Amino acid sequence: MYRLPLVLGLLFVVPAIHAESVDAPHLVAGDAWTYRVTTEKGQQFERHDVDSKVERVSDTAMYIDMSPTGATTPPTEELVGTDWSHSHETGGKPVVIEKPFTFPLKEGKSWDVTYSANNPNPMYSTETWTAHYVVVGWEDIEVPAGKFHALKVEAEGTWSGMTTGMSSSSNRSVGTAGNGATSTLSVAQPPHQASGRIYRAYWYVPSAKRAVKSVIEEYSSKGVRSYRQTTEMETVKVSA
């Protein structure tokens, strides 16, 4: 759902005075951040910390080491664009699926991202997403890493897809009441079209080289929120 030398845990405030536009960050190996990630899915709630560090940078991509804070296992390496965009391979070609920033960033700037995928997960055989991004403007924000003057980007859009067809099951009592015996009843659900809306928000801070906070939400066609992920920066260590 991303400059002054800093040390981990250092709190700093970006001056309220800022340039008309914000250029792409100069990311280098060793730049590192820790985030608190809170995920809400239905009635489920989960919170954990994630460490991320730039392993190396090419002309078009970055290789980011990702691992849960305190993990003793090797980190997972994630490939992202130098503008913090994410892509998936579709038909042998990379397709951008998330583009939170288009540099230089400037208040009022907008762009669109649309992508389609076959068999994106076990629940869907096809899926299409479209989102319209807008640089809303500067605002003050506070996260565990401190207080910042951030450039906020918002996105709204839609998703649609064809389900693969699932079976739902329920338990019911059988036999003499109270004997504890149950049976499982399975009901097949044929594939059907599903759709809904999405929302994204990112608070970008130039001195941190990425967003200090992000919010990702998904809604059903009835307007009921089914998913929310909030990511907040806890520590930052980046080069000038």
Side-chain angles (χ1 to χ4, degrees):
M1 221 144 297
Y2 129 113
R3 284 165 166 142
L4 305 177
L6 305 171
V7 295
L8 285 173
L10 180 63
L11 307 184
F12 67 102
V13 178
V14 180
I17 299 175
H18 49 76
E20 282 293 315
S21 62
V22 175
D23 292 330
H26 176 61
L27 291 141
V28 299
D31 286 346
W33 310 263
T34 299
Y35 284 91
R36 175 190 298 166
V37 181
T38 304
T39 303
E40 303 166 66
K41 188 174 182 180
Q43 299 301 314
Q44 298 178 336
F45 178 91
E46 179 185 330
R47 174 172 289 168
H48 62 281
D49 295 339
V50 176
D51 297 329
S52 59
K53 183 176 69 173
V54 178
E55 177 64 27
R56 62 186 186 278
V57 183
S58 69
D59 290 339
T60 59
M62 293 187 293
Y63 297 80
I64 310 294
D65 285 343
M66 305 282 292
S67 61
T69 299
T72 57
T73 55
T76 300
E77 194 167 75
E78 182 177 324
L79 178 64
V80 301
T82 53
D83 58 358
W84 293 107
S85 61
H86 287 75
S87 301
H88 281 179
E89 291 287 334
T90 300
K93 296 181 179 180
V95 176
V96 174
I97 64 170
E98 185 76 9
K99 193 176 183 66
F101 313 117
T102 296
F103 295 98
L105 291 175
K106 186 176 182 179
E107 188 172 343
K109 186 174 183 178
S110 64
W111 59 97
D112 297 298
V113 173
T114 299
Y115 79 93
S116 297
N118 293 321
N119 303 309
N121 56 60
M123 294 181 62
Y124 288 89
S125 58
T126 63
E127 201 169 55
T128 297
W129 295 69
T130 181
H132 179 68
Y133 294 77
V134 178
V135 182
V136 178
W138 293 87
E139 65 180 48
D140 295 326
I141 186 171
E142 185 172 1
V143 295
K147 296 180 180 179
F148 299 87
H149 196 60
L151 191 54
K152 184 180 181 180
V153 177
E154 284 187 307
E156 291 186 298
T158 61
W159 66 268
S160 63
M162 180 64 69
T163 67
T164 55
M166 300 172 291
S167 296
S168 62
S169 60
S170 61
N171 294 327
R172 61 187 181 91
S173 298
V174 296
T176 304
N179 68 3
T182 61
S183 67
T184 300
L185 176 65
S186 296
V187 179
Q189 296 183 354
H192 64 276
Q193 189 74 26
S195 62
R197 299 193 62 82
I198 62 174
Y199 172 80
R200 307 280 191 267
Y202 305 89
W203 287 263
Y204 182 84
V205 173
S207 59
K209 300 188 179 182
R210 63 186 303 185
V212 298
K213 181 178 179 178
S214 67
V215 175
I216 295 175
E217 295 178 343
E218 297 173 9
Y219 294 82
S220 71
S221 58
K222 296 181 179 180
V224 178
R225 194 187 75 222
S226 59
Y227 180 86
R228 173 191 281 163
Q229 185 178 80
T230 303
T231 304
E232 298 175 290
M233 186 179 289
E234 294 184 304
T235 65
V236 53
K237 181 183 178 181
V238 295
S239 63

